[in-house]
Amino acid sequence: MQSSKQAMGLLRSPATVEMVQQLVASTSFGAQQFRHLGGDKVPEFWGKPSAYTEGTTFLGTPKNHLDLVKKRPLSPDVVEIDSKSLHYKMPWGALSSITNRATGVAMSVGFAGAGYLALTGSLQGVVAGVADNFLLAFPLKFLVSYTIVYHWLGGMRHIVWDVSKIGNQADRTSLLELPKVEISSKALFGAAAAISVVLALL
Protein backbone atom coordinates (compact mmCIF):
# COMPACT_ATOMS: atom_id res chain seq x y z
CA MET A 1 0.00 0.00 0.00
CA GLN A 2 2.81 2.35 0.93
CA SER A 3 4.72 1.58 -2.29
CA SER A 4 1.66 2.29 -4.45
CA LYS A 5 1.19 5.64 -2.73
CA GLN A 6 4.83 6.46 -3.37
CA ALA A 7 4.43 5.51 -7.04
CA MET A 8 1.34 7.69 -7.44
CA GLY A 9 3.15 10.55 -5.76
CA LEU A 10 6.07 10.15 -8.16
CA LEU A 11 3.74 10.17 -11.18
CA ARG A 12 2.05 13.34 -9.95
CA SER A 13 5.26 15.14 -9.11
CA PRO A 14 5.95 18.41 -10.98
CA ALA A 15 9.15 16.96 -12.43
CA THR A 16 7.32 13.99 -13.98
CA VAL A 17 4.51 16.16 -15.35
CA GLU A 18 7.05 18.55 -16.89
CA MET A 19 8.97 15.61 -18.40
CA VAL A 20 5.80 14.23 -20.04
CA GLN A 21 4.86 17.66 -21.36
CA GLN A 22 8.31 18.07 -22.91
CA LEU A 23 8.06 14.62 -24.49
CA VAL A 24 4.65 15.40 -25.99
CA ALA A 25 5.87 18.77 -27.28
CA SER A 26 9.01 17.29 -28.79
CA THR A 27 7.19 14.49 -30.62
CA SER A 28 4.54 16.76 -32.20
CA PHE A 29 1.56 14.43 -32.29
CA GLY A 30 0.04 14.25 -35.76
CA ALA A 31 3.14 15.73 -37.42
CA GLN A 32 5.57 14.05 -39.81
CA GLN A 33 7.12 11.97 -37.02
CA PHE A 34 3.92 9.93 -36.90
CA ARG A 35 2.26 7.79 -39.51
CA HIS A 36 -1.23 6.58 -38.85
CA LEU A 37 -3.74 4.19 -40.33
CA GLY A 38 -7.38 4.32 -39.35
CA GLY A 39 -6.66 7.11 -36.88
CA ASP A 40 -4.20 5.10 -34.79
CA LYS A 41 -1.12 7.25 -34.28
CA VAL A 42 2.09 5.26 -33.97
CA PRO A 43 5.18 7.08 -32.64
CA GLU A 44 8.30 6.64 -34.69
CA PHE A 45 11.04 7.80 -32.37
CA TRP A 46 12.07 4.27 -31.42
CA GLY A 47 15.73 3.87 -30.77
CA LYS A 48 16.31 7.53 -29.89
CA PRO A 49 17.32 8.49 -26.36
CA SER A 50 14.51 10.05 -24.34
CA ALA A 51 13.61 10.93 -20.79
CA TYR A 52 12.61 7.30 -20.24
CA THR A 53 15.27 5.32 -22.09
CA GLU A 54 18.85 5.55 -23.21
CA GLY A 55 17.82 4.43 -26.66
CA THR A 56 18.59 1.16 -28.42
CA THR A 57 21.99 1.86 -29.91
CA PHE A 58 23.37 -0.94 -27.75
CA LEU A 59 21.14 -3.32 -29.75
CA GLY A 60 22.62 -2.16 -33.02
CA THR A 61 19.94 0.30 -34.09
CA PRO A 62 21.37 2.20 -37.09
CA LYS A 63 21.71 5.97 -36.94
CA ASN A 64 19.38 6.34 -39.94
CA HIS A 65 16.68 4.25 -38.26
CA LEU A 66 13.93 6.83 -38.74
CA ASP A 67 14.77 7.24 -42.42
CA LEU A 68 14.52 3.47 -42.83
CA VAL A 69 11.20 3.41 -40.95
CA LYS A 70 9.76 6.04 -43.32
CA LYS A 71 10.56 3.76 -46.28
CA ARG A 72 9.02 0.71 -44.63
CA PRO A 73 5.58 -0.18 -46.03
CA LEU A 74 2.67 -0.32 -43.65
CA SER A 75 1.33 -3.84 -43.38
CA PRO A 76 -1.22 -5.02 -44.40
CA ASP A 77 -1.50 -2.14 -46.90
CA VAL A 78 -1.28 -3.40 -50.47
CA VAL A 79 -1.70 0.01 -52.08
CA GLU A 80 0.09 3.20 -51.01
CA ILE A 81 -1.97 6.06 -49.61
CA ASP A 82 -1.73 7.77 -53.01
CA SER A 83 -3.55 4.71 -54.47
CA LYS A 84 -0.92 4.38 -57.16
CA SER A 85 2.12 2.47 -55.94
CA LEU A 86 1.95 -1.15 -54.79
CA HIS A 87 3.87 -2.12 -51.69
CA TYR A 88 3.80 -5.84 -52.26
CA LYS A 89 3.75 -8.14 -55.24
CA MET A 90 0.62 -10.24 -54.87
CA PRO A 91 1.47 -13.96 -54.65
CA TRP A 92 -0.19 -16.41 -57.03
CA GLY A 93 -2.13 -17.99 -54.18
CA ALA A 94 -3.69 -14.65 -53.25
CA LEU A 95 -4.49 -13.82 -56.88
CA SER A 96 -6.17 -17.19 -57.44
CA SER A 97 -8.15 -16.86 -54.20
CA ILE A 98 -9.35 -13.35 -55.09
CA THR A 99 -10.26 -14.52 -58.60
CA ASN A 100 -12.22 -17.44 -57.15
CA ARG A 101 -14.30 -15.04 -55.08
CA ALA A 102 -14.69 -12.58 -57.96
CA THR A 103 -15.96 -15.32 -60.29
CA GLY A 104 -18.43 -16.40 -57.62
CA VAL A 105 -19.82 -12.87 -57.38
CA ALA A 106 -19.86 -12.57 -61.19
CA MET A 107 -21.85 -15.81 -61.51
CA SER A 108 -24.37 -14.66 -58.92
CA VAL A 109 -24.89 -11.36 -60.74
CA GLY A 110 -24.89 -13.00 -64.17
CA PHE A 111 -27.36 -15.74 -63.29
CA ALA A 112 -29.63 -13.22 -61.59
CA GLY A 113 -29.55 -11.05 -64.72
CA ALA A 114 -30.20 -14.04 -66.98
CA GLY A 115 -33.08 -15.07 -64.72
CA TYR A 116 -34.59 -11.62 -64.94
CA LEU A 117 -34.31 -11.61 -68.75
CA ALA A 118 -35.86 -15.09 -68.88
CA LEU A 119 -38.80 -13.99 -66.73
CA THR A 120 -39.42 -10.97 -68.93
CA GLY A 121 -39.23 -13.12 -72.07
CA SER A 122 -36.29 -11.30 -73.65
CA LEU A 123 -33.46 -13.77 -72.92
CA GLN A 124 -33.82 -15.66 -76.21
CA GLY A 125 -33.67 -12.44 -78.21
CA VAL A 126 -30.50 -11.32 -76.41
CA VAL A 127 -28.83 -14.69 -76.94
CA ALA A 128 -29.82 -14.77 -80.62
CA GLY A 129 -28.56 -11.22 -81.16
CA VAL A 130 -25.18 -11.98 -79.58
CA ALA A 131 -24.80 -15.33 -81.38
CA ASP A 132 -25.06 -13.69 -84.82
CA ASN A 133 -22.05 -11.43 -84.18
CA PHE A 134 -18.76 -13.37 -83.72
CA LEU A 135 -16.78 -10.29 -82.64
CA LEU A 136 -19.24 -9.84 -79.80
CA ALA A 137 -20.09 -13.49 -79.19
CA PHE A 138 -16.54 -14.84 -78.74
CA PRO A 139 -15.41 -12.49 -75.92
CA LEU A 140 -18.76 -12.79 -74.14
CA LYS A 141 -18.76 -16.59 -74.43
CA PHE A 142 -15.15 -16.64 -73.21
CA LEU A 143 -15.96 -14.45 -70.18
CA VAL A 144 -18.99 -16.55 -69.25
CA SER A 145 -17.07 -19.79 -69.78
CA TYR A 146 -14.03 -18.56 -67.86
CA THR A 147 -16.16 -17.43 -64.92
CA ILE A 148 -17.91 -20.79 -64.62
CA VAL A 149 -14.90 -23.01 -65.41
CA TYR A 150 -12.49 -21.12 -63.13
CA HIS A 151 -14.91 -21.13 -60.21
CA TRP A 152 -15.66 -24.82 -60.69
CA LEU A 153 -11.96 -25.77 -60.91
CA GLY A 154 -11.21 -23.55 -57.91
CA GLY A 155 -13.93 -25.34 -55.95
CA MET A 156 -12.48 -28.72 -56.92
CA ARG A 157 -9.07 -27.58 -55.70
CA HIS A 158 -10.57 -26.61 -52.35
CA ILE A 159 -12.24 -30.01 -52.05
CA VAL A 160 -8.88 -31.68 -52.75
CA TRP A 161 -7.25 -29.49 -50.12
CA ASP A 162 -9.98 -30.36 -47.61
CA VAL A 163 -9.66 -34.13 -48.02
CA SER A 164 -5.89 -34.25 -48.46
CA LYS A 165 -3.19 -34.50 -45.84
CA ILE A 166 -2.63 -31.06 -44.39
CA GLY A 167 0.76 -31.82 -42.87
CA ASN A 168 2.54 -29.81 -40.21
CA GLN A 169 5.53 -27.52 -39.87
CA ALA A 170 7.95 -30.42 -40.13
CA ASP A 171 6.15 -32.05 -43.07
CA ARG A 172 6.72 -30.37 -46.44
CA THR A 173 4.53 -32.72 -48.49
CA SER A 174 1.22 -30.88 -47.97
CA LEU A 175 -0.61 -29.43 -50.96
CA LEU A 176 -0.92 -26.24 -48.92
CA GLU A 177 2.82 -25.62 -48.96
CA LEU A 178 3.58 -22.29 -50.66
CA PRO A 179 5.41 -23.72 -53.73
CA LYS A 180 2.60 -26.20 -54.39
CA VAL A 181 -0.07 -23.54 -53.95
CA GLU A 182 1.80 -21.39 -56.47
CA ILE A 183 1.97 -24.25 -58.99
CA SER A 184 -1.70 -25.15 -58.58
CA SER A 185 -2.69 -21.48 -58.87
CA LYS A 186 -0.83 -21.05 -62.17
CA ALA A 187 -2.33 -24.34 -63.42
CA LEU A 188 -5.78 -23.13 -62.40
CA PHE A 189 -5.48 -19.90 -64.40
CA GLY A 190 -4.03 -21.72 -67.42
CA ALA A 191 -6.49 -24.60 -67.47
CA ALA A 192 -9.49 -22.30 -67.07
CA ALA A 193 -8.26 -20.11 -69.93
CA ALA A 194 -7.59 -23.05 -72.27
CA ILE A 195 -10.96 -24.72 -71.60
CA SER A 196 -12.77 -21.39 -71.95
CA VAL A 197 -11.20 -20.71 -75.36
CA VAL A 198 -12.40 -24.12 -76.60
CA LEU A 199 -15.90 -23.53 -75.23
CA ALA A 200 -16.06 -20.03 -76.71
CA LEU A 201 -15.20 -21.40 -80.15
CA LEU A 202 -18.02 -23.99 -80.09
Side-chain angles (χ1 to χ4, degrees):
M1 186 69 176
Q2 186 67 25
S3 60
S4 63
K5 286 183 179 180
Q6 290 175 346
M8 290 301 294
L10 180 62
L11 288 174
R12 292 175 181 168
S13 68
T16 303
V17 172
E18 183 181 356
M19 191 184 313
V20 171
Q21 289 173 344
Q22 289 176 355
L23 179 64
V24 171
S26 66
T27 53
S28 303
F29 280 88
Q32 293 295 332
Q33 293 146 318
F34 290 82
R35 289 154 71 198
H36 55 89
L37 180 66
D40 297 329
K41 295 182 176 120
V42 182
E44 292 192 349
F45 49 79
W46 302 296
K48 294 178 68 175
S50 70
Y52 301 102
T53 175
E54 62 186 39
T56 57
T57 53
F58 68 96
L59 293 174
T61 302
K63 291 182 179 179
N64 63 338
H65 172 69
L66 291 182
D67 294 330
L68 296 175
V69 167
K70 289 176 183 177
K71 296 177 183 178
R72 182 185 302 156
L74 289 173
S75 180
D77 287 4
V78 175
V79 181
E80 180 59 85
I81 294 174
D82 60 8
S83 300
K84 295 178 182 177
S85 54
L86 289 175
H87 282 163
Y88 308 114
K89 181 180 179 181
M90 293 289 284
W92 283 99
L95 290 173
S96 67
S97 179
I98 292 169
T99 305
N100 195 33
R101 286 158 175 75
T103 52
V105 172
M107 282 198 303
S108 297
V109 173
F111 286 138
Y116 173 79
L117 291 175
L119 289 173
T120 58
S122 55
L123 181 61
Q124 289 181 344
V126 172
V127 172
V130 170
D132 291 338
N133 186 346
F134 179 80
L135 293 178
L136 182 63
F138 179 79
L140 283 177
K141 287 170 68 177
F142 176 81
L143 287 175
V144 172
S145 299
Y146 191 86
T147 300
I148 297 172
V149 170
Y150 185 95
H151 198 74
W152 186 84
L153 291 176
M156 292 299 102
R157 182 173 67 160
H158 273 279
I159 291 175
V160 171
W161 282 348
D162 289 342
V163 300
S164 297
K165 181 181 179 183
I166 298 301
N168 53 49
Q169 292 181 346
D171 181 9
R172 299 299 180 190
T173 61
S174 169
L175 293 175
L176 294 176
E177 289 294 327
L178 191 57
K180 294 185 178 180
V181 170
E182 185 171 315
I183 292 171
S184 67
S185 297
K186 291 177 181 178
L188 184 57
F189 280 112
I195 295 172
S196 299
V197 168
V198 173
L199 292 175
L201 290 172
L202 294 178

